Amino acid sequence: MKSKIEILKSQALAALKAAKSDAEVRDLEVKYLGRNGLFNDIMKSLKDLSDEEKRTVGKLANETKTELEAAVQKKYAELEMYAFDVIADKEWMDVTVPGKKPDVGHRHLISKFIDDLEVVFGRMGFAVAEGPDIETEHYNFDQLNMPADHPSRDMQDTFWVKNLKRMVLRTHTSPVQIRHMESHKPPVRVISLGKTFRKDSDATHSPMFHQIEGLMVDTDISIANLKAVLTHLLQQVFEDPSIKTRFRTSYFPFVEPGMEVDCTCPICHGEGKLADNVPCKLCKQCGWLEIGGAGMVHPKVLENVGYDSKKYTGFAFGFGVDRMVMIRHRVNHLRLLFENDLRFIDQF
Ligand code: FA5
């Protein structure tokens, strides 16, 4: 009996040593130490032995069983440690490697510029007015003194909206002037910013572009007020207090007199050349940059919205926002602003 116990013990220990998983150990535990296991068979057969043998063999059987139980627990612990080692080998990380900075987006340079414009005008007491991108012919043209048969309509190559009667993608922000004046009495001091559309496409013209419109109507508003507001605006957005403005006679049917507004080039400060006589590319050596149109609101437009044109006068202007962004950031092709190429956009 004693030798049987010794054999069982050495078999069990050898099998435990070879076991590679918890499941194998569990099977061995059941086989040797379970209720119907091989050790219990031995315990059951003790009853057939003499008293003396029962004592010695029983003691040996008990000690061996305890020894095997300990060996099983040790094996479980070993397997657990081994599993940790495997994970540690496979899933290690080097905490000294520099981290990867996640890409964080930012507002587009046109949106940022529009915010800046709103801030500069907000400080001068201008509110922001809004109008629809798809506009009626009535507001886009007729109310602005541009009737259907008038050649001035040809100045703005228009997208007409198919199947919508006399609707256009607004060609400028000027219709917002009309909408605002129709619903507000003077004094008026508003700007309007947004998308505008024309059938244009070249380095400085695109089918969709942004304009800012300004309108100020009250008693005694003059071109001097217009010049002061625009000079302040351009000095602020181009961050150059030396900027000067000039007006050139021009024609827009909704203002009289009408003019083009130019400002001195923020790169060469109106000189046309840089240090060492290098020609200024931005203004093409002329020292001035064209910014947009302006003028005194035409009395007919004031009357169209029910204002007394004898009592009230006002100025209006409409500038290309994209053009101003190009000047501010020295961008030479308008399309770069709309292509969403991150190599370009991330520079700002
Ligand atoms: C107008 O749109 C007038 N409504 C401006 C105005 C308002 C005059 C109030 C008087 C009183 P004009 O067509 O010149 O004007 O356009 C104004 C500016 O918009 C231009 O100077 C230019 O900077 C910009 N612009 C015009 N067409 C495009 C285009 N296709 N792409 C980019 N910018 C454009």
Side-chain angles (χ1 to χ4, degrees):
M1 185 65 87
K2 275 187 183 171
S3 64
K4 199 172 169 193
I5 292 173
E6 291 299 340
I7 290 168
L8 265 187
K9 178 182 160 185
S10 59
Q11 278 177 351
L13 289 175
L16 271 177
K17 196 171 175 201
K20 294 223 165 357
S21 66
D22 280 3
E24 279 180 54
V25 178
R26 208 161 298 120
D27 287 346
L28 292 172
E29 200 179 357
V30 172
K31 179 177 171 189
Y32 289 97
L33 303 169
R35 195 141 44 94
N36 299 318
L38 298 174
F39 260 91
N40 252 2
D41 289 348
I42 287 177
M43 293 308 210
K44 280 179 205 155
S45 60
L46 288 181
K47 63 178 184 325
D48 305 327
L49 301 178
S50 66
D51 284 353
E52 177 57 27
E53 277 178 325
K54 261 186 205 157
R55 250 195 313 279
T56 53
V57 177
K59 190 170 175 250
L60 177 66
N62 272 329
E63 280 170 4
T64 309
K65 197 174 173 205
T66 310
E67 202 178 322
L68 282 181
E69 278 166 356
V72 164
Q73 292 314 316
K74 193 168 162 227
K75 185 70 188 183
Y76 277 134
E78 270 172 32
L79 287 174
E80 193 179 5
M81 282 314 292
Y82 176 72
F84 283 139
D85 285 350
V86 170
I87 291 172
D89 274 353
K90 265 204 253 161
E91 299 183 10
W92 67 276
M93 73 177 170
D94 180 353
V95 291
T96 64
V97 171
K100 272 190 201 155
K101 207 171 163 211
D103 278 343
V104 180
H106 56 84
R107 283 166 72 68
H108 190 275
L109 63 169
I110 292 182
S111 308
K112 281 198 240 169
F113 193 78
I114 286 176
D115 290 349
D116 290 352
L117 289 170
E118 288 183 356
V119 169
V120 174
F121 276 105
R123 289 199 196 114
M124 289 193 275
F126 283 75
V128 177
E130 285 182 358
D133 289 356
I134 302 176
E135 191 49 282
T136 60
E137 177 185 23
H138 174 75
Y139 284 114
N140 197 80
F141 293 126
D142 295 341
Q143 288 289 80
L144 287 161
N145 217 11
M146 300 165 89
D149 55 357
H150 199 283
S152 64
R153 282 208 185 182
D154 298 342
M155 287 158 49
Q156 302 184 354
D157 221 343
T158 310
F159 290 110
W160 290 88
V161 184
K162 228 175 165 182
N163 302 331
L164 273 183
K165 225 173 154 226
R166 312 311 293 169
M167 299 289 278
V168 298
L169 299 186
R170 66 178 180 185
T171 53
H172 50 174
T173 38
S174 299
V176 184
Q177 288 182 29
I178 306 296
R179 287 180 176 275
H180 187 83
M181 286 193 286
E182 276 184 354
S183 55
H184 295 80
K185 291 198 178 335
V188 162
R189 207 188 287 193
V190 284
I191 53 163
S192 171
L193 292 133
K195 293 188 173 61
T196 42
F197 309 85
R198 292 183 200 175
K199 284 190 218 161
D200 286 340
S201 191
D202 60 38
T204 53
H205 294 82
S206 69
M208 188 283 296
F209 56 103
H210 299 81
Q211 279 194 345
I212 174 169
E213 188 84 10
L215 174 72
M216 187 166 178
V217 181
D218 202 345
T219 51
D220 300 325
I221 298 292
S222 73
I223 289 185
N225 301 116
L226 172 63
K227 183 149 173 111
V229 166
L230 294 185
T231 306
H232 178 70
L233 162 73
L234 295 166
Q235 289 178 349
Q236 291 287 306
V237 294
F238 295 145
E239 293 164 342
D240 177 356
S242 72
I243 281 186
K244 295 185 183 57
T245 50
R246 74 176 183 189
F247 293 157
R248 282 178 292 115
T249 316
S250 185
Y251 174 70
F252 300 96
F254 34 93
V255 285
E256 181 57 39
M259 42 226 153
E260 292 290 345
V261 181
D262 297 341
C263 73
T264 44
C265 174
I267 292 193
C268 65
H269 305 289
E271 297 297 320
K273 53 186 190 267
L274 308 172
D276 300 333
N277 271 347
V278 177
C280 179
K281 279 197 197 147
L282 185 66
C283 63
K284 301 195 181 77
Q285 301 179 60
C286 107
W288 292 91
L289 294 165
E290 188 180 313
I291 302 292
M296 298 305 292
V297 182
H298 199 292
K300 182 130 194 315
V301 171
L302 292 176
E303 276 148 30
N304 284 346
V305 296
Y307 284 10
D308 180 352
S309 65
K310 300 242 167 0
K311 184 171 170 195
Y312 294 108
T313 51
F315 66 71
F317 61 88
F319 292 173
V321 171
D322 320 275
R323 172 119 182 90
M324 288 198 274
V325 172
M326 286 170 78
I327 295 170
R328 173 146 136 185
H329 294 292
R330 325 294 189 236
V331 176
N332 59 8
H333 204 299
L334 185 58
R335 217 178 321 129
L336 286 167
L337 298 179
F338 303 123
E339 278 175 343
N340 291 335
D341 183 338
L342 290 179
R343 287 168 305 178
F344 169 76
I345 290 175
D346 278 350
Q347 294 175 45
F348 303 95

Short mmCIF file of all heavy atoms in Angstrom, two decimals, residues 173-218:
data_model
loop_
_atom_site.label_atom_id
_atom_site.label_comp_id
_atom_site.label_asym_id
_atom_site.label_seq_id
_atom_site.Cartn_x
_atom_site.Cartn_y
_atom_site.Cartn_z
N THR A 173 -24.03 91.78 -51.15
CA THR A 173 -24.74 91.87 -49.86
C THR A 173 -25.65 93.10 -49.80
O THR A 173 -26.34 93.30 -48.79
CB THR A 173 -23.73 91.88 -48.68
OG1 THR A 173 -22.58 92.65 -49.07
CG2 THR A 173 -23.29 90.49 -48.31
N SER A 174 -25.67 93.89 -50.87
CA SER A 174 -26.47 95.13 -50.84
C SER A 174 -27.97 94.91 -50.60
O SER A 174 -28.61 95.78 -49.99
CB SER A 174 -26.24 95.93 -52.12
OG SER A 174 -24.88 96.28 -52.24
N PRO A 175 -28.59 93.78 -51.03
CA PRO A 175 -30.02 93.62 -50.73
C PRO A 175 -30.32 93.64 -49.23
O PRO A 175 -31.45 93.99 -48.83
CB PRO A 175 -30.38 92.25 -51.33
CG PRO A 175 -29.12 91.61 -51.79
CD PRO A 175 -28.11 92.71 -51.93
N VAL A 176 -29.33 93.32 -48.40
CA VAL A 176 -29.59 93.33 -46.94
C VAL A 176 -29.86 94.76 -46.47
O VAL A 176 -30.65 94.99 -45.56
CB VAL A 176 -28.41 92.70 -46.16
CG1 VAL A 176 -28.74 92.63 -44.67
CG2 VAL A 176 -28.08 91.33 -46.69
N GLN A 177 -29.21 95.75 -47.15
CA GLN A 177 -29.51 97.16 -46.85
C GLN A 177 -31.00 97.42 -46.94
O GLN A 177 -31.61 98.00 -46.05
CB GLN A 177 -28.93 98.08 -47.92
CG GLN A 177 -27.46 98.29 -47.99
CD GLN A 177 -27.17 99.29 -49.14
OE1 GLN A 177 -27.99 100.15 -49.47
NE2 GLN A 177 -26.00 99.16 -49.72
N ILE A 178 -31.57 96.97 -48.07
CA ILE A 178 -32.99 97.25 -48.33
C ILE A 178 -33.85 96.56 -47.29
O ILE A 178 -34.74 97.17 -46.69
CB ILE A 178 -33.38 96.74 -49.75
CG1 ILE A 178 -32.44 97.33 -50.80
CG2 ILE A 178 -34.84 97.05 -50.05
CD1 ILE A 178 -32.52 98.82 -50.95
N ARG A 179 -33.58 95.26 -47.08
CA ARG A 179 -34.39 94.51 -46.11
C ARG A 179 -34.32 95.19 -44.74
O ARG A 179 -35.31 95.28 -44.02
CB ARG A 179 -33.87 93.07 -45.99
CG ARG A 179 -34.22 92.22 -47.20
CD ARG A 179 -33.70 90.81 -47.04
NE ARG A 179 -34.11 89.97 -48.14
CZ ARG A 179 -35.27 89.34 -48.21
NH1 ARG A 179 -36.15 89.46 -47.23
NH2 ARG A 179 -35.59 88.59 -49.26
N HIS A 180 -33.12 95.64 -44.37
CA HIS A 180 -32.98 96.24 -43.04
C HIS A 180 -33.73 97.58 -42.96
O HIS A 180 -34.44 97.84 -41.99
CB HIS A 180 -31.50 96.44 -42.70
CG HIS A 180 -31.31 96.89 -41.28
ND1 HIS A 180 -31.29 96.02 -40.22
CD2 HIS A 180 -31.18 98.14 -40.74
CE1 HIS A 180 -31.15 96.69 -39.10
NE2 HIS A 180 -31.07 97.99 -39.39
N MET A 181 -33.56 98.41 -43.99
CA MET A 181 -34.21 99.73 -43.93
C MET A 181 -35.73 99.59 -43.97
O MET A 181 -36.43 100.37 -43.35
CB MET A 181 -33.72 100.62 -45.09
CG MET A 181 -32.30 101.13 -44.87
SD MET A 181 -31.82 102.44 -46.00
CE MET A 181 -31.58 101.56 -47.54
N GLU A 182 -36.23 98.57 -44.69
CA GLU A 182 -37.69 98.38 -44.74
C GLU A 182 -38.26 98.11 -43.34
O GLU A 182 -39.39 98.43 -43.06
CB GLU A 182 -38.03 97.20 -45.65
CG GLU A 182 -38.09 97.58 -47.11
CD GLU A 182 -38.52 96.42 -47.99
OE1 GLU A 182 -38.65 95.28 -47.49
OE2 GLU A 182 -38.70 96.65 -49.19
N SER A 183 -37.46 97.48 -42.51
CA SER A 183 -38.00 97.11 -41.20
C SER A 183 -37.46 97.97 -40.04
O SER A 183 -37.76 97.70 -38.89
CB SER A 183 -37.71 95.63 -40.93
OG SER A 183 -36.32 95.39 -41.04
N HIS A 184 -36.62 98.94 -40.36
CA HIS A 184 -36.10 99.82 -39.29
C HIS A 184 -36.16 101.28 -39.72
O HIS A 184 -35.88 101.59 -40.87
CB HIS A 184 -34.63 99.47 -38.97
CG HIS A 184 -34.44 98.11 -38.39
ND1 HIS A 184 -34.43 96.97 -39.16
CD2 HIS A 184 -34.27 97.71 -37.12
CE1 HIS A 184 -34.26 95.91 -38.39
NE2 HIS A 184 -34.16 96.34 -37.14
N LYS A 185 -36.43 102.12 -38.76
CA LYS A 185 -36.41 103.56 -39.06
C LYS A 185 -35.00 104.10 -38.78
O LYS A 185 -34.27 103.53 -37.98
CB LYS A 185 -37.40 104.28 -38.12
CG LYS A 185 -38.85 103.95 -38.43
CD LYS A 185 -39.75 105.00 -37.80
CE LYS A 185 -41.22 104.79 -38.07
NZ LYS A 185 -41.58 104.04 -39.26
N PRO A 186 -34.64 105.24 -39.44
CA PRO A 186 -33.33 105.81 -39.13
C PRO A 186 -33.31 106.29 -37.67
O PRO A 186 -34.38 106.58 -37.13
CB PRO A 186 -33.20 106.99 -40.10
CG PRO A 186 -34.44 107.02 -40.92
CD PRO A 186 -35.38 105.98 -40.44
N PRO A 187 -32.17 106.43 -37.01
CA PRO A 187 -30.83 106.20 -37.56
C PRO A 187 -30.53 104.70 -37.73
O PRO A 187 -30.94 103.89 -36.91
CB PRO A 187 -29.90 106.81 -36.51
CG PRO A 187 -30.69 106.74 -35.23
CD PRO A 187 -32.13 106.85 -35.60
N VAL A 188 -29.75 104.43 -38.80
CA VAL A 188 -29.37 103.05 -39.10
C VAL A 188 -27.85 102.95 -39.12
O VAL A 188 -27.18 103.83 -39.68
CB VAL A 188 -29.93 102.65 -40.49
CG1 VAL A 188 -29.23 101.42 -41.03
CG2 VAL A 188 -31.43 102.43 -40.44
N ARG A 189 -27.34 101.90 -38.51
CA ARG A 189 -25.88 101.71 -38.53
C ARG A 189 -25.64 100.19 -38.49
O ARG A 189 -25.59 99.60 -37.43
CB ARG A 189 -25.27 102.36 -37.30
CG ARG A 189 -23.83 102.79 -37.52
CD ARG A 189 -23.20 103.25 -36.24
NE ARG A 189 -23.67 104.55 -35.79
CZ ARG A 189 -23.06 105.26 -34.83
NH1 ARG A 189 -21.97 104.78 -34.26
NH2 ARG A 189 -23.53 106.40 -34.44
N VAL A 190 -25.58 99.57 -39.67
CA VAL A 190 -25.44 98.11 -39.70
C VAL A 190 -24.36 97.66 -40.69
O VAL A 190 -24.03 98.37 -41.65
CB VAL A 190 -26.75 97.40 -40.13
CG1 VAL A 190 -27.77 97.38 -39.03
CG2 VAL A 190 -27.31 97.96 -41.42
N ILE A 191 -23.86 96.46 -40.42
CA ILE A 191 -23.05 95.77 -41.43
C ILE A 191 -23.73 94.45 -41.71
O ILE A 191 -24.54 93.97 -40.90
CB ILE A 191 -21.60 95.49 -40.96
CG1 ILE A 191 -21.59 94.75 -39.61
CG2 ILE A 191 -20.78 96.73 -40.93
CD1 ILE A 191 -20.26 94.09 -39.29
N SER A 192 -23.42 93.89 -42.87
CA SER A 192 -23.93 92.57 -43.20
C SER A 192 -22.81 91.81 -43.87
O SER A 192 -22.12 92.35 -44.73
CB SER A 192 -25.12 92.73 -44.14
OG SER A 192 -25.47 91.46 -44.60
N LEU A 193 -22.62 90.58 -43.44
CA LEU A 193 -21.50 89.79 -43.97
C LEU A 193 -22.02 88.47 -44.46
O LEU A 193 -22.92 87.89 -43.86
CB LEU A 193 -20.53 89.47 -42.83
CG LEU A 193 -19.78 90.64 -42.25
CD1 LEU A 193 -19.82 90.59 -40.75
CD2 LEU A 193 -18.35 90.59 -42.72
N GLY A 194 -21.44 87.98 -45.54
CA GLY A 194 -21.87 86.64 -45.95
C GLY A 194 -21.44 86.27 -47.34
O GLY A 194 -20.66 86.97 -47.99
N LYS A 195 -22.00 85.12 -47.78
CA LYS A 195 -21.63 84.58 -49.08
C LYS A 195 -22.36 85.31 -50.19
O LYS A 195 -23.53 85.68 -50.03
CB LYS A 195 -21.99 83.09 -49.14
CG LYS A 195 -21.18 82.23 -48.21
CD LYS A 195 -21.46 80.75 -48.49
CE LYS A 195 -20.53 79.86 -47.71
NZ LYS A 195 -20.65 80.00 -46.25
N THR A 196 -21.68 85.47 -51.31
CA THR A 196 -22.27 86.08 -52.50
C THR A 196 -21.79 85.27 -53.71
O THR A 196 -20.79 84.55 -53.60
CB THR A 196 -21.83 87.56 -52.63
OG1 THR A 196 -20.44 87.64 -52.31
CG2 THR A 196 -22.58 88.45 -51.67
N PHE A 197 -22.51 85.39 -54.82
CA PHE A 197 -22.26 84.45 -55.93
C PHE A 197 -22.31 85.17 -57.28
O PHE A 197 -23.23 85.96 -57.54
CB PHE A 197 -23.34 83.35 -55.93
CG PHE A 197 -23.52 82.69 -54.58
CD1 PHE A 197 -24.35 83.25 -53.61
CD2 PHE A 197 -22.84 81.52 -54.27
CE1 PHE A 197 -24.51 82.66 -52.37
CE2 PHE A 197 -22.99 80.90 -53.03
CZ PHE A 197 -23.83 81.49 -52.08
N ARG A 198 -21.35 84.86 -58.11
CA ARG A 198 -21.37 85.38 -59.49
C ARG A 198 -20.69 84.38 -60.41
O ARG A 198 -19.85 83.60 -59.96
CB ARG A 198 -20.61 86.71 -59.59
CG ARG A 198 -21.29 87.84 -58.87
CD ARG A 198 -20.56 89.17 -59.06
NE ARG A 198 -20.96 90.08 -57.99
CZ ARG A 198 -20.44 91.27 -57.80
NH1 ARG A 198 -19.50 91.72 -58.62
NH2 ARG A 198 -20.85 92.06 -56.82
N LYS A 199 -21.03 84.47 -61.71
CA LYS A 199 -20.39 83.56 -62.67
C LYS A 199 -19.00 84.10 -63.02
O LYS A 199 -18.79 84.61 -64.12
CB LYS A 199 -21.25 83.47 -63.94
CG LYS A 199 -22.48 82.61 -63.77
CD LYS A 199 -23.12 82.37 -65.14
CE LYS A 199 -24.62 82.40 -65.03
NZ LYS A 199 -25.30 82.64 -66.30
N ASP A 200 -18.10 84.04 -62.07
CA ASP A 200 -16.73 84.55 -62.26
C ASP A 200 -15.76 83.44 -61.89
O ASP A 200 -16.05 82.66 -61.00
CB ASP A 200 -16.42 85.68 -61.26
CG ASP A 200 -17.11 86.98 -61.60
OD1 ASP A 200 -17.50 87.15 -62.77
OD2 ASP A 200 -17.24 87.82 -60.68
N SER A 201 -14.59 83.42 -62.52
CA SER A 201 -13.57 82.47 -62.07
C SER A 201 -12.20 82.84 -62.64
O SER A 201 -11.94 82.68 -63.83
CB SER A 201 -13.94 81.06 -62.51
OG SER A 201 -13.10 80.14 -61.87
N ASP A 202 -11.35 83.39 -61.79
CA ASP A 202 -9.93 83.58 -62.14
C ASP A 202 -9.15 83.74 -60.84
O ASP A 202 -9.69 83.45 -59.76
CB ASP A 202 -9.73 84.78 -63.09
CG ASP A 202 -10.19 86.10 -62.50
OD1 ASP A 202 -10.00 86.29 -61.30
OD2 ASP A 202 -10.74 86.94 -63.25
N ALA A 203 -7.89 84.19 -60.92
CA ALA A 203 -7.04 84.20 -59.72
C ALA A 203 -7.60 85.07 -58.60
O ALA A 203 -7.35 84.83 -57.42
CB ALA A 203 -5.64 84.67 -60.08
N THR A 204 -8.39 86.10 -58.96
CA THR A 204 -8.92 86.99 -57.91
C THR A 204 -10.44 87.01 -57.87
O THR A 204 -11.03 87.78 -57.12
CB THR A 204 -8.41 88.43 -58.11
OG1 THR A 204 -8.71 88.83 -59.46
CG2 THR A 204 -6.92 88.54 -57.85
N HIS A 205 -11.08 86.15 -58.68
CA HIS A 205 -12.55 86.09 -58.67
C HIS A 205 -12.99 84.63 -58.61
O HIS A 205 -12.46 83.80 -59.34
CB HIS A 205 -13.14 86.71 -59.95
CG HIS A 205 -12.89 88.18 -60.04
ND1 HIS A 205 -11.71 88.69 -60.51
CD2 HIS A 205 -13.67 89.23 -59.71
CE1 HIS A 205 -11.77 90.02 -60.45
NE2 HIS A 205 -12.95 90.37 -59.97
N SER A 206 -13.97 84.34 -57.75
CA SER A 206 -14.48 82.97 -57.71
C SER A 206 -16.00 83.01 -57.73
O SER A 206 -16.61 84.05 -57.44
CB SER A 206 -13.97 82.25 -56.47
OG SER A 206 -14.56 82.81 -55.33
N PRO A 207 -16.64 81.88 -58.08
CA PRO A 207 -18.11 81.88 -58.19
C PRO A 207 -18.79 82.15 -56.85
O PRO A 207 -19.86 82.71 -56.80
CB PRO A 207 -18.45 80.46 -58.68
CG PRO A 207 -17.16 79.85 -59.11
CD PRO A 207 -16.04 80.59 -58.46
N MET A 208 -18.15 81.72 -55.77
CA MET A 208 -18.68 82.03 -54.43
C MET A 208 -17.61 82.86 -53.73
O MET A 208 -16.43 82.50 -53.77
CB MET A 208 -18.94 80.74 -53.67
CG MET A 208 -19.67 80.91 -52.34
SD MET A 208 -18.66 81.52 -51.00
CE MET A 208 -17.47 80.20 -50.79
N PHE A 209 -17.99 83.96 -53.16
CA PHE A 209 -17.03 84.77 -52.42
C PHE A 209 -17.80 85.45 -51.28
O PHE A 209 -18.99 85.22 -51.12
CB PHE A 209 -16.35 85.79 -53.35
CG PHE A 209 -17.30 86.70 -54.09
CD1 PHE A 209 -17.50 88.01 -53.69
CD2 PHE A 209 -18.00 86.24 -55.19
CE1 PHE A 209 -18.38 88.85 -54.37
CE2 PHE A 209 -18.89 87.08 -55.88
CZ PHE A 209 -19.07 88.37 -55.47
N HIS A 210 -17.08 86.21 -50.46
CA HIS A 210 -17.74 86.83 -49.31
C HIS A 210 -17.65 88.35 -49.42
O HIS A 210 -16.64 88.88 -49.87
CB HIS A 210 -17.04 86.40 -48.01
CG HIS A 210 -17.09 84.93 -47.77
ND1 HIS A 210 -16.21 84.06 -48.37
CD2 HIS A 210 -17.93 84.18 -47.03
CE1 HIS A 210 -16.50 82.83 -47.99
NE2 HIS A 210 -17.53 82.87 -47.18
N GLN A 211 -18.73 88.98 -49.02
CA GLN A 211 -18.71 90.45 -49.00
C GLN A 211 -19.07 90.95 -47.61
O GLN A 211 -19.73 90.26 -46.83
CB GLN A 211 -19.73 91.02 -50.00
CG GLN A 211 -19.24 91.04 -51.43
CD GLN A 211 -20.11 91.91 -52.33
OE1 GLN A 211 -21.23 92.29 -51.98
NE2 GLN A 211 -19.59 92.21 -53.51
N ILE A 212 -18.64 92.16 -47.34
CA ILE A 212 -19.15 92.88 -46.17
C ILE A 212 -19.80 94.15 -46.68
O ILE A 212 -19.23 94.86 -47.52
CB ILE A 212 -18.06 93.21 -45.12
CG1 ILE A 212 -18.67 94.08 -44.03
CG2 ILE A 212 -16.85 93.89 -45.73
CD1 ILE A 212 -17.80 94.27 -42.82
N GLU A 213 -20.99 94.38 -46.22
CA GLU A 213 -21.75 95.56 -46.62
C GLU A 213 -21.86 96.46 -45.39
O GLU A 213 -22.02 95.96 -44.27
CB GLU A 213 -23.17 95.09 -47.02
CG GLU A 213 -24.04 96.14 -47.63
CD GLU A 213 -23.75 96.26 -49.13
OE1 GLU A 213 -23.04 95.42 -49.68
OE2 GLU A 213 -24.26 97.23 -49.72
N GLY A 214 -21.75 97.74 -45.58
CA GLY A 214 -21.96 98.65 -44.46
C GLY A 214 -22.99 99.69 -44.85
O GLY A 214 -23.06 100.10 -46.01
N LEU A 215 -23.78 100.11 -43.88
CA LEU A 215 -24.81 101.11 -44.16
C LEU A 215 -24.99 101.99 -42.94
O LEU A 215 -25.13 101.50 -41.81
CB LEU A 215 -26.14 100.39 -44.47
CG LEU A 215 -27.36 101.30 -44.65
CD1 LEU A 215 -27.28 102.07 -45.97
CD2 LEU A 215 -28.65 100.48 -44.62
N MET A 216 -24.96 103.31 -43.20
CA MET A 216 -25.20 104.25 -42.11
C MET A 216 -26.13 105.33 -42.63
O MET A 216 -25.80 106.01 -43.62
CB MET A 216 -23.87 104.85 -41.64
CG MET A 216 -23.99 105.70 -40.41
SD MET A 216 -22.33 105.98 -39.75
CE MET A 216 -22.71 107.03 -38.39
N VAL A 217 -27.28 105.49 -42.04
CA VAL A 217 -28.24 106.51 -42.49
C VAL A 217 -28.69 107.31 -41.28
O VAL A 217 -29.03 106.75 -40.24
CB VAL A 217 -29.48 105.85 -43.15
CG1 VAL A 217 -30.45 106.93 -43.64
CG2 VAL A 217 -29.08 104.95 -44.30
N ASP A 218 -28.65 108.61 -41.45
CA ASP A 218 -29.13 109.50 -40.38
C ASP A 218 -29.24 110.89 -40.99
O ASP A 218 -28.99 111.07 -42.19
CB ASP A 218 -28.10 109.48 -39.22
CG ASP A 218 -28.74 109.90 -37.90
OD1 ASP A 218 -29.85 110.47 -37.92
OD2 ASP A 218 -28.11 109.67 -36.86
#
